[in-house]
């Protein structure tokens, strides 16, 4: 079945550091890919998405590129802020089915 | 729009007690979902409803029942709570459009924290 693997955390960075959170997937068909973010004490919210190969999703300074050849959708940000501290989930959907989530990566940014 | 709302926000139960978690959405979405979130496990799907009148099991349905009361509401019931059901429960909804190739955004509620003693 479909699955998502993302790097285990926690990830701790200093403010203004570069962030990469790796995400790879296995899917039948041609999935759409998503990054969701969960701030402390809240539900998940969509951060960005990409629906076909080579698409780049972007939002709030975060970017991820849909790489079909490497089955990856790594999340990047050039300069993180304390307010980016959260749990980040990679997810996919390859049919008229529920989202499949990775286990989440906790990011802590220190001033 | 309130989006996806969940009640209660927090609940403590004793082993064997029953309770129903309520979820409602005001976005006219056709699909609704219940997940549980546990440390190190990410989100695991309990049940979902692709449309009013239908429900399907997810990854971890044992010990739970659901009701899609109408298009807006999707409740999750624990008939006899167990300590293993201590978790944070999230409801979500999505509007599925067949022509849009699975790119629709899924919206989440704020969660219900459940502690079973």
């Amino acid at each position: 079945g479909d699955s998502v693997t993302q790097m285990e955390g926690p990830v701790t960075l200093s403010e203004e550091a570069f962030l990469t959170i790796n995400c790879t997937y296995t899917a039948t068909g041609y999935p759409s890919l998503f990054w969701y973010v969960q701030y402390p004490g809240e539900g998940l919210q969509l951060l960005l998405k990409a629906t076909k190969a080579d698409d780049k999703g972007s939002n709030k300074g975060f970017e991820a590129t849909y790489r079909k050849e490497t089955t990856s959708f790594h999340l990047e940000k050039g300069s993180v802020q304390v307010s980016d501290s959260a749990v980040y989930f990679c997810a996919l959907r390859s049919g008229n089915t529920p989202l499949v989530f990775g286990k989440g990566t906790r990011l802590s940014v220190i001033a | 729009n309130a989006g996806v709302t969940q009640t209660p926000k927090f609940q403590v139960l004793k082993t064997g007690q029953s309770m129903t978690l309520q979820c409602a959405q005001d976005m006219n979405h056709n699909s609704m979902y219940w997940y549980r979130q546990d440390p190190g496990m990410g989100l695991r799907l309990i049940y979902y409803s692709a449309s009013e009148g239908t429900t399907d099991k997810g990854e971890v349905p044992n010990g739970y029942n659901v009701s899609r009361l109408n298009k807006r509401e999707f409740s999750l019931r624990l008939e006899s709570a167990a300590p293993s059901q201590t978790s944070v429960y999230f409801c979500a909804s999505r509007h599925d459009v067949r022509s849009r190739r699975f790119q629709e955004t899924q919206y989440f509620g704020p969660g219900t924290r459940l502690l079973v003693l």
Side-chain angles (χ1 to χ4, degrees):
Chain A
D2 296 349
S3 66
V4 174
T5 302
Q6 58 182 106
M7 62 187 288
E8 292 190 20
V11 175
T12 302
L13 295 174
S14 297
E15 210 166 22
E16 299 184 2
F18 185 86
L19 168 71
T20 299
I21 300 178
N22 291 336
C23 171
T24 58
Y25 67 89
T26 302
T28 54
Y30 206 157
S32 290
L33 302 173
F34 305 82
W35 277 101
Y36 279 80
V37 59
Q38 183 182 30
Y39 298 105
E42 298 183 9
L44 281 71
Q45 56 185 274
L46 179 69
L47 180 60
L48 54 83
K49 64 182 178 184
T51 59
K52 60 183 186 294
D54 300 325
D55 264 5
K56 178 185 283 188
S58 61
N59 186 25
K60 299 182 181 179
F62 290 89
E63 294 182 340
T65 301
Y66 189 143
R67 301 288 188 200
K68 192 170 187 293
E69 64 276 12
T70 55
T71 61
S72 65
F73 192 53
H74 304 322
L75 182 68
E76 296 182 335
K77 187 175 185 183
S79 176
V80 294
Q81 305 301 312
V82 172
S83 57
D84 294 325
S85 297
V87 181
Y88 293 82
F89 292 90
C90 186
L92 72 80
R93 185 178 171 211
S94 62
N96 195 22
T97 55
L99 282 171
V100 175
F101 285 93
K103 292 188 176 182
T105 302
R106 182 176 299 278
L107 170 66
S108 295
V109 180
I110 53 177
Chain B
N1 288 351
V4 181
T5 57
Q6 293 183 236
T7 55
K9 291 190 188 310
F10 182 72
Q11 183 73 45
V12 179
L13 292 179
K14 294 181 180 178
T15 297
Q17 287 185 316
S18 62
M19 80 162 294
T20 300
L21 281 65
Q22 306 287 353
C23 173
Q25 51 89 11
D26 61 2
M27 296 174 282
N28 202 34
H29 288 173
N30 45 11
S31 299
M32 297 186 73
Y33 306 85
W34 276 107
Y35 295 88
R36 60 177 289 174
Q37 184 178 29
D38 303 292
M41 301 295 292
L43 273 82
R44 292 183 291 171
L45 183 66
I46 305 171
Y47 271 94
Y48 67 101
S49 170
S51 62
E52 189 177 351
T54 68
T55 60
D56 286 286
K57 294 179 180 179
E59 182 184 355
V60 289
N62 291 345
Y64 305 94
N65 285 301
V66 290
S67 296
R68 183 75 183 266
L69 305 169
N70 47 55
K71 193 170 187 180
R72 289 187 65 247
E73 298 172 289
F74 188 40
S75 62
L76 179 72
R77 182 160 179 83
L78 287 70
E79 290 292 351
S80 179
S84 61
Q85 294 178 304
T86 293
S87 188
V88 181
Y89 292 85
F90 289 99
C91 179
S93 71
R94 186 175 74 201
H95 186 63
D96 288 329
V97 179
R98 188 180 294 275
S99 62
R100 292 198 62 196
R101 278 205 50 81
F102 323 130
Q103 61 182 282
E104 296 81 8
T105 298
Q106 191 158 306
Y107 295 85
F108 285 79
T112 294
R113 293 185 175 274
L114 176 66
L115 175 62
V116 183
L117 302 174

